[in-house]
Amino acid sequence: MNRNSAPQLRNSLTNRHVTMIALGGVIGAGLFVSSGAVLNTVGPAALISYIVSGVLVTLIMRAVGEMAVMLPEARSIENYPRLGLGRWAGFSVGWMYWYFWVIVAAVEAVAGAGIISGFFPSVPNWAVCLGLIVAMTLLNLISVRVYAETEFWLASIKIVAIVFFLVVSGLFLFGLFGQSPGTTHLTEHGGFFPLGSGAVVVGSVTVLFSFAGAEIATIAAAESKDPAKYAARATRQVMYRILFFYLLSIAAIICVVPWNTPMSGSEVRSPFALTLNAVGIPYADVIMEVVVLTAVLSSLNSCLYLTSRVLFSLSKHADAPKFLVRLNSRKVPARAIFAATIVSYLSVIANYFFPEQVFLFLINSSGAVCLIYYFLLVLAEVSVRRRLAAQGITPDFRMWGFPWLSYLTMAWIVGVLVFMAVYPATRWQLVLSVLSFVIVLGAYRIVRRRPVTSVKNPG
């Protein structure tokens, strides 16, 4: 199959779709729920953990955004390392990316079912989980525009909820209603570093994984009318989204609720709900359960989109079964979508019979996978940029301080991986994730003899 005759996705997304997908891509259950565990294990200094990880993610996204603008013909995240480093890198990043997000899809489906079952206890949890997967599959099968519209409204709910949260908590802290604690909670419960500065490092590693998915806008931009323009715009917004949605929210929670208030464990409560309760908002728990459910559905929706697109691209380059390259009449990679959902169905079944063993293994085996493919993406950015520079081409949208910030970003990622190897709580995640990478490399040795179709290589 040559590139000219290969099936092409439809460019039907608008600026409003790509912008809202970008906004919603960073905001998930990691902010609404998991942030509580970070606050309990770090204290007020968790704000530093979020700043540190936010800077790293911003640098990674800047590198990815540069390639999205320089290589609009790539049309998939695994093609950036394919062009920059070779087929092995494209194969590795593609399959690791697919693996990471099919696991996230299964986890999100189970989490969403748990929330809905709380409202409708008579409905079996497995049936709700199955219903969620089927519903999101159908949305993705109809058309990319339907996916984008769904994500637009789900993301809108999340954004409205956070803006409401920030306005209400801000008014409370400024003493416009209720008895404001001011900034006393920052220091009065053991100080700003109650558990030591080392806890900040531990927290930053945990926080880093909650930012996974920030690159979704560059993938969605490939199905817009102007991929380079929309990818650049979405990438520029990453830093501001992290600053506004994460840092301000975490700061508000820390100021309103003492950091040592239980926010994790067997009875997990969203720190956002605890904050709204402290402010005096009625039905805060119910409100936040609805918002968290929205975040979970948004993530599940995006997971199916991401995994289908990367699998579609892999099949175009003979790195996945060829039958997955087929599109339906609406230019949707239906077979690739079904391939992703099969893993979700199997994971849900496995979770039903072996809830602890299977899901613990899946989550651990994919825990550090995103760091590995992020490293390869930044390495590819350095290679592509140097190749274009040799031709006298300077991209309009580029990585800051090249090449030094690119080197710093890669060194930073390696540092996180080293820390995960040293820290007992994350060591097993790293071992299983590296094993996953080794298996992917082994699979590449098998498929590399197949004829390959590549996108145009710069230079």
Side-chain angles (χ1 to χ4, degrees), residues 5 40 70 100 102 142 155 183 234-235 242 257 272 371 390 443:
S5 63
N40 281 164
M70 288 191 299
F100 180 84
V102 293
I142 295 173
T183 58
T235 304
I242 292 174
V257 182
F272 285 75
L371 291 176

Side-chain angles (χ1 to χ4, degrees), residues 339-381:
T341 58
I342 287 173
V343 174
S344 296
Y345 295 138
L346 293 176
S347 298
V348 170
I349 293 172
N351 181 60
Y352 179 80
F353 290 103
F354 313 101
E356 294 184 6
Q357 300 91 329
V358 173
F359 256 56
L360 183 61
F361 173 80
L362 291 175
I363 293 171
N364 283 337
S365 65
S366 62
V369 163
C370 64
L371 291 176
I372 298 173
Y373 65 65
Y374 279 152
F375 178 89
L376 292 176
L377 284 168
V378 179
L379 183 61
E381 180 264 337

Side-chain angles (χ1 to χ4, degrees), residues 7 17 21 24 47 97 107 160 164 203 270 280 287 324 334 349 395 420 440 448:
H17 292 133
I21 289 171
L47 191 60
Y97 199 81
V107 172
V160 168
F164 170 77
S270 167
I287 293 172
L324 295 173
I349 293 172
M420 292 183 70
V440 169
R448 65 180 178 177

Side-chain angles (χ1 to χ4, degrees), residues 189 207 212 219 229 241 336 352 365 368 389 457:
H189 301 282
V207 168
I219 300 173
K229 177 182 176 181
R241 294 199 305 268
Y352 179 80
S365 65
N457 198 320

Side-chain angles (χ1 to χ4, degrees), residues 246-269:
Y246 273 85
L247 300 187
L248 289 182
S249 295
I250 297 301
I253 294 170
I254 293 172
C255 289
V256 175
V257 182
W259 69 269
N260 50 5
T261 302
M263 303 180 195
S264 60
S266 58
E267 295 295 330
V268 177
R269 293 189 67 190

Side-chain angles (χ1 to χ4, degrees), residues 46-60 200-211 242 247 412 416:
L47 191 60
I48 298 178
S49 297
Y50 277 90
I51 293 173
V52 169
S53 293
V55 171
L56 176 56
V57 170
T58 298
L59 292 174
I60 294 171
V200 176
V201 180
V202 177
S204 66
V205 174
T206 303
V207 168
L208 186 60
F209 296 111
S210 69
F211 288 130
I242 292 174
L247 300 187
W412 197 336
V416 174

Side-chain angles (χ1 to χ4, degrees), residues 71-149:
L71 309 170
E73 72 276 15
R75 303 183 68 85
S76 178
I77 198 164
E78 51 89 26
N79 281 330
Y80 303 142
R82 184 187 302 278
L83 294 172
L85 304 173
R87 185 185 179 189
W88 72 269
F91 180 93
S92 301
V93 169
W95 279 108
M96 286 191 298
Y97 199 81
W98 183 85
Y99 178 63
F100 180 84
W101 287 107
V102 293
I103 299 305
V104 173
V107 172
E108 296 289 9
V110 172
I115 296 172
I116 294 175
S117 295
F119 290 106
F120 305 99
S122 61
V123 181
N125 189 282
W126 67 265
V128 178
C129 190
L130 179 64
L132 289 178
I133 297 173
V134 170
M136 290 302 165
T137 301
L138 292 175
L139 287 174
N140 276 266
L141 284 173
I142 295 173
S143 72
V144 66
R145 195 175 182 90
V146 170
Y147 153 74
E149 281 293 335

